Amino acid sequence: MLDIKNYKTAWIMGHKIRHAMAKRDAQHQLGGLIEIDDCYFGGSKPGKPGRGASGKSKIVLAIENNGNSAGFAKTFPVNSVSQVSVQKAFHGLIAQGSTVRSDGWGAYNVLQSETISLEKVKVQVARELKIFPGSTY
């Protein structure tokens, strides 16, 4: 345990540690098998669910698939789930030789290149996850 008796010193050290962690996270490239998808945050509302739902925040996320566990993850709020927003969010963040697995949504095609392969997996429409307090079916 550090014997720091001055609040200002402790605050500065904590700030420097958080800054170093954020810098490391910003420079990290996702690698191996990467699963990418979009999701929408916001309470249950009448109207269209999923893509195209109004009044919800759109998020694009990518997670390294390490077999039995998840690896590093990156999330980005976007205005729309389009090729432009996906390219902007993930530009330079996917390592060469990686495989990106998606649900086949056309916006993710922009990630495919000579060094990054794209695998499309057909998914069944499922009910939205209900893991947050206050969520309902």
Side-chain angles (χ1 to χ4, degrees):
M1 179 177 244
L2 298 175
D3 188 29
I4 300 173
K5 296 184 175 35
N6 184 320
Y7 175 80
K8 184 177 179 181
T9 302
W11 185 90
I12 289 171
M13 285 183 65
H15 181 73
K16 286 182 178 184
I17 290 169
R18 287 188 294 276
H19 179 72
M21 291 172 64
K23 186 175 179 183
R24 179 208 58 199
D25 290 353
Q27 295 172 346
H28 180 80
Q29 283 190 315
L30 299 173
L33 176 59
I34 301 162
E35 300 202 16
I36 187 168
D37 204 359
D38 52 283
C39 60
Y40 298 82
F41 285 98
S44 182
K45 297 180 181 175
K48 184 176 180 186
R51 290 186 182 112
S54 62
K56 298 191 182 221
S57 299
K58 298 166 189 71
I59 307 291
V60 176
L61 60 112
I63 302 172
E64 292 172 331
N65 182 330
N66 294 335
N68 293 332
S69 65
F72 205 89
K74 298 269 187 178
T75 61
F76 298 95
V78 293
N79 290 327
S80 67
V81 185
S82 65
Q83 286 190 346
V84 171
S85 61
V86 168
Q87 177 67 33
K88 187 175 178 182
F90 291 103
H91 179 72
L93 293 178
I94 298 176
Q96 294 182 356
S98 298
T99 299
V100 175
R101 182 184 290 163
S102 78
D103 60 3
W105 182 249
Y108 303 129
N109 294 338
V110 73
L111 298 175
Q112 187 170 8
S113 68
E114 292 178 10
T115 58
I116 299 173
S117 62
L118 185 63
E119 180 182 309
K120 298 177 184 178
V121 178
K122 185 172 180 153
V123 293
Q124 295 178 344
V125 177
R127 288 187 286 192
E128 54 189 278
L129 292 176
K130 301 297 180 183
I131 59 174
F132 297 106
S135 60
T136 59
Y137 280 93

